Amino acid sequence: MPSPLPRSARRMAARLVLGLAAALAPAFGAAELPPSNPAAPAWLPDAVSALTPELAGRYGAGQQARAQRGLRQVAEFWRAGDGDRAAFEAFVRANFAGDPATRDTMFNRFETLCEQLDGHMQEITRAFRQQLDLDLGPVLPFDEQFGAYDPSAHVTDDFFANKLAFVVLLNFPLTTLDERLHDGAGWSRREWAEVRLAERFAKRVPAEVNLALAEADAITGQYIADYNLWMHHLVDADGRRLFPPGMRLLSHWNLRDEIKADYADAHDGLAKQRLIQRAMERIVTQTIPAVVVNNPGVDWNPVSNEVRPAAARDSDPAAVKSTAADATPEPATRYAMLLRLFAAQRQLDAYSPTAPTALARQFDENLQIREEQVDAMIDQILTSPLVPRVARLIESRLGRPLEPFDLWYNGFRPDSQLTEAQLDAQVAAKYPTAAAYQQDIPNLLLKLGFTPEQARYLAANIVVDPARGSGHAMGAEMRTAPAHLRTRVERTGMNYKGYNIAVHEMGHNVEQTFSLNRIDHTLLHGVPNNGFTEALAFVFQGHDLELLGRPQPDARQAAGKTLDDFWSAYEMAGVARVEIEVWRWMYAHPQATPPELRDATVQIARATWNRYFAPVFHRQDVVLLGIYSHMIEIPLYLPNYFVASLVAVQVEAQMRRAGAIGPEFERMAVEGRVTPDLWMVHATGRPVGPEALLTGTEQALATVCQP
Ligand SMILES: [Zn+2]
């Protein structure tokens, strides 16, 4: 499920600088410069024109096309500061690999050395973050600086400065998403690896643009991180406090999770859910009084929007920002933040010639699925005839008509036969320390169907560390380093929550290990996009109770999980659609003010609701689809989450079909970073799409509706 993004995910999203530039452009003759190099020296077109036949003459007519492409790619990025015409010509003559043997040597050397570079950078980062990430005692102020330092921040600049980037651009092809989709299935693995090598240098972004992106990221991240509601200070019309003292919920993640938890509260649950819905709506419309945000000094009725000095104390006095009964609404700050992200992305546009918008970068480069294809998948879910059928089932279980917050209905999830306390006790006894979990890894992997050889190999490549926070997986970037599994271990031993996370992270580590150590080309290591590594981790996590010796879920429980997947995919499709429409609107209205963007977003959220949700919820004009905090923090991450939810179902369905996780897992993971569709065809025989989810939901409805 969507949750606050770990730093590693944000870094990964930022790092996936994929496929750009010149190769799209058959329209450019050798004498013509691509339009994307505003800093090109005047002599460059002539130099390119002269060198193309020279290289073809020297290495044979067979090299003409390669030479032309390579020269065009270098010209795309060459600036006056990189050297004069003589330097350019000398560089090209010295570095064009015109025969296969030289090209092989060049490719192999770059592959080996890129692995060394990435691997050691990752080890430095890991070491510098160790005090922050692990349960190792107090964090001193300078530890934050070590943790924030990114040793690889200037590598791309350095490689343009020392011309290694130009060596790659002269010899290996930059590609567009269209080419990768159209031709990629026919490429050899080596050709794919060459494509990923060239992609590393597909952008040359000036430092001031990177700085603007980093600043926007920091400012919006801070805004979201501090956007809490003090729930004891939400009062209903009778002045009742429905939530306990001290409860502080971060928007929107914790608010949504509280709605989910409130289904179990037979007494006040419904009233609480309605109140949270009103609060969320006021955040989206920015009618929320500014003074109530992250402030336990006032009481607030989200229905009437009345504010009073707090009549109850439940916090440290330092947390109180104001006690003023001031109902002045937040001045569209939420949308000012979004415009900040937009402004930074617009600066980047100029350096992204073939993906010249944030939308194109998200779809073509990050997701590597066409925007129209994602749109079509969203439509398939939103307009599925299964939606009203699942909605009626939820209503029959709730015994009342749906209300808008039932977007987050979670009653399909199978109930555990054991209480959390029983599970905690079992886990603490089994894993008193991180080392105890480490020791058990081979055994856990055998239970998941890995061979003894695989289990031994993987266990030798995974190091378990006690985490300071909730946990994460930190893979290696070179084969000589292990992957790290971080999970929380309390003084009393691991609890069930920590164990559940550990099993998830172990899935990441196994993917990371196979896709780095057992892949044919390290340049292809990894997965097509974030959704794939999450899908593989969910496969592990879904078996955590079986690994504790509990029985496998029965058919009804499995059906419940599928219905839960479907209902959240429906919700994700809605919020992803809203975010895509909002970005399209911003590009169509680049001069918009925060209030204008607020009004447009509210309008888009309402229209999306009225079209796809109102027919089953029987309520008009709901704005809840605009509440996701990701929207304000990371451009266009929600389409990613939506695609990830489909990928997870496809991967799980394949594991079930194959009947074993171990061999399937390695087979899938060593495909590496090709396009999502190619990966999925290799893994399951079908491209990425909602069919597995829709088929599964149809079957699940039949299963649970059986008397
Ligand atoms: Zn994960």
Side-chain angles (χ1 to χ4, degrees):
M1 282 306 293
S3 59
L5 287 167
R7 194 184 128 92
S8 59
R10 302 178 64 154
R11 286 166 57 107
M12 188 186 286
R15 245 186 225 174
L16 284 173
V17 176
L18 302 180
L20 260 213
L24 181 70
F28 305 133
E32 225 178 321
L33 273 189
S36 56
N37 186 357
W43 49 260
L44 199 50
D46 276 352
V48 168
S49 293
L51 279 165
T52 306
E54 181 190 320
L55 292 177
R58 186 161 148 203
Y59 295 106
Q63 291 299 309
Q64 164 105 13
R66 271 195 72 239
Q68 200 166 331
R69 186 196 63 211
L71 281 161
R72 195 179 60 226
Q73 291 180 171
V74 171
E76 180 107 18
F77 297 98
W78 194 279
R79 300 172 187 160
D82 295 318
D84 60 11
R85 180 168 181 163
F88 175 81
E89 290 174 350
F91 168 82
V92 169
R93 289 184 185 116
N95 288 289
F96 183 70
D99 63 88
T102 309
R103 204 157 60 247
D104 287 350
T105 303
M106 180 184 278
F107 171 83
N108 291 332
R109 197 106 84 226
F110 267 94
E111 181 162 57
T112 304
L113 295 180
C114 283
E115 182 197 343
Q116 291 299 308
L117 178 71
D118 296 347
H120 286 97
M121 289 297 180
Q122 176 77 343
E123 293 309 298
I124 293 171
T125 302
R126 191 175 57 73
F128 275 29
R129 291 194 55 82
Q130 186 143 302
Q131 190 65 27
L132 296 183
D133 286 341
L134 302 190
D135 189 10
L136 293 174
V139 171
L140 300 179
F142 64 85
D143 289 319
E144 305 270 2
Q145 264 56 57
F146 273 117
Y149 179 71
D150 179 358
S152 63
H154 303 112
V155 163
T156 306
D157 284 347
D158 292 346
F159 273 46
F160 274 103
N162 66 20
K163 302 212 172 40
L164 285 169
F166 287 115
V167 174
V168 170
L169 292 166
L170 183 60
N171 288 288
F172 302 107
L174 289 172
T175 58
T176 60
L177 177 64
D178 275 341
E179 288 173 316
R180 295 196 293 281
L181 292 176
H182 193 261
D183 306 331
W187 291 342
S188 67
R189 296 285 294 176
R190 159 77 182 265
E191 284 174 302
W192 264 107
E194 290 185 2
V195 162
R196 294 309 188 198
L197 172 59
E199 252 171 21
R200 297 169 71 102
F201 307 107
K203 280 194 181 79
R204 191 181 192 184
V205 181
E208 65 271 19
V209 177
N210 276 326
L211 191 64
L213 288 162
E215 277 175 2
D217 182 61
I219 288 168
T220 57
Q222 196 57 46
Y223 172 76
I224 291 299
D226 281 341
Y227 210 103
N228 296 291
L229 292 183
W230 286 80
M231 302 304 284
H232 194 53
H233 298 274
L234 265 59
V235 295
D236 69 7
D238 304 323
R240 277 200 314 154
R241 294 174 198 279
L242 299 172
F243 300 94
M247 183 187 242
R248 195 178 68 137
L249 298 184
L250 181 67
S251 178
H252 74 290
W253 295 282
N254 297 158
L255 294 172
R256 175 204 60 197
D257 291 346
E258 178 62 25
I259 286 177
K260 290 180 179 233
D262 289 339
Y263 284 106
D265 179 351
H267 190 246
D268 279 335
L270 191 56
K272 287 177 177 172
Q273 289 168 323
R274 286 174 176 158
L275 213 54
I276 294 175
Q277 179 191 325
R278 293 299 289 149
M280 284 177 155
E281 287 169 340
R282 292 201 180 276
I283 293 170
V284 176
T285 56
Q286 293 282 276
T287 54
I288 184 170
V291 74
V292 311
V293 178
N294 206 15
N295 178 19
V298 292
D299 291 339
W300 174 44
N301 176 343
V303 181
S304 67
N305 220 15
E306 208 180 332
V307 179
R308 295 201 174 150
R313 266 277 170 266
D314 67 334
S315 68
D316 197 298
V320 173
K321 293 198 296 198
S322 164
T323 55
D326 178 359
T328 309
E330 193 180 6
T333 312
R334 181 178 177 85
Y335 300 97
M337 292 291 152
L338 184 47
L339 284 175
R340 246 316 317 188
L341 289 182
F342 176 63
Q345 289 290 324
R346 290 252 296 161
Q347 289 192 49
L348 185 55
D349 290 351
Y351 300 93
S352 267
T354 59
T357 66
L359 289 150
R361 285 188 290 280
Q362 179 61 21
F363 291 106
D364 293 5
E365 300 180 351
N366 197 354
L367 266 174
Q368 301 189 78
I369 304 178
R370 284 196 191 93
E371 187 174 339
E372 312 85 79
Q373 193 187 338
V374 174
D375 250 341
M377 293 192 288
I378 288 174
D379 274 342
Q380 274 178 279
I381 296 293
L382 290 177
T383 63
S384 163
L386 295 167
V387 168
R389 291 173 62 194
V390 176
R392 294 298 82 80
L393 182 60
I394 295 173
E395 287 186 329
S396 78
R397 293 205 170 176
L398 289 171
R400 60 164 171 79
L402 287 184
E403 300 205 24
F405 58 79
D406 292 318
L407 269 181
W408 295 294
Y409 175 74
N410 70 346
F412 289 130
R413 290 239 146 226
D415 281 339
S416 168
Q417 302 300 311
L418 294 168
T419 65
E420 185 113 354
Q422 287 171 304
L423 287 169
D424 283 347
Q426 186 184 349
V427 171
K430 199 168 177 196
Y431 304 120
T433 59
Y437 187 90
Q438 171 97 54
Q439 283 231 303
D440 203 31
I441 287 180
N443 188 30
L444 295 172
L445 293 173
L446 287 175
K447 284 190 193 163
L448 288 169
F450 290 87
T451 64
E453 184 277 329
Q454 285 175 317
R456 263 197 311 276
Y457 178 77
L458 290 164
N461 276 288
I462 298 173
V463 173
V464 180
D465 304 316
R468 184 182 295 278
S470 67
H472 59 270
M474 191 180 252
E477 300 273 334
M478 60 183 177
R479 289 176 170 173
T480 48
H484 287 255
L485 189 165
R486 271 75 187 271
T487 189
R488 192 158 176 81
V489 183
E490 306 295 340
R491 299 287 167 255
T492 50
M494 197 183 270
N495 60 25
Y496 173 66
K497 196 168 175 214
Y499 164 77
N500 177 271
I501 291 171
V503 175
H504 175 97
E505 306 306 343
M506 186 168 69
H508 282 308
N509 288 146
V510 170
E511 177 268 299
Q512 289 158 348
T513 302
F514 280 145
S515 86
L516 175 65
N517 296 29
R518 288 195 160 175
I519 200 166
D520 47 1
H521 284 289
T522 51
L523 284 166
L524 289 174
H525 99 81
V527 286
N529 66 44
N530 244 355
F532 288 75
T533 183
E534 290 307 328
L536 290 166
F538 285 136
V539 167
F540 269 49
Q541 194 175 5
H543 291 273
D544 70 326
L545 289 175
E546 288 156 65
L547 292 176
L548 284 179
R550 309 299 309 165
Q552 286 193 11
D554 63 23
R556 275 185 107 79
Q557 287 170 325
K561 187 191 172 294
T562 301
L563 293 172
D564 189 67
D565 287 343
F566 177 77
W567 196 246
S568 36
Y570 172 54
E571 179 230 345
M572 285 311 306
V575 297
R577 170 58 57 81
V578 168
E579 189 180 27
I580 293 169
E581 297 280 357
V582 166
W583 276 85
R584 288 175 184 159
W585 187 91
M586 287 194 289
Y587 271 101
H589 302 84
Q591 308 301 331
T593 62
E596 286 166 352
L597 176 58
R598 173 198 62 205
D599 295 347
T601 303
V602 167
Q603 167 57 30
I604 289 165
R606 278 195 185 125
T608 306
W609 177 274
N610 289 347
R611 182 157 173 203
Y612 301 109
F613 293 81
V616 298
F617 283 82
H618 304 297
R619 296 274 180 103
Q620 292 286 314
D621 293 337
V622 174
V623 300
L624 280 184
L625 297 171
I627 189 60
Y628 266 64
S629 289
H630 304 81
M631 249 177 97
I632 311 304
E633 224 185 354
I634 300 205
L636 291 156
Y637 210 76
L638 297 177
N640 226 313
Y641 269 128
F642 169 71
V643 171
S645 68
L646 303 184
V647 167
V649 172
Q650 287 182 283
V651 166
E652 278 167 17
Q654 176 62 25
M655 298 287 184
R656 271 198 306 279
R657 255 197 308 278
I661 293 174
E664 281 301 276
F665 203 102
E666 177 165 359
R667 189 179 71 78
M668 291 180 183
V670 298
E671 183 71 3
R673 210 156 55 81
V674 293
T675 59
D677 278 348
L678 211 51
W679 193 100
M680 196 58 90
V681 167
H682 167 88
T684 73
R686 301 290 304 269
V688 174
E691 289 78 14
L693 177 59
L694 296 172
T695 311
T697 303
E698 183 87 52
Q699 288 162 356
L701 277 171
T703 304
V704 300
C705 295
Q706 265 169 15

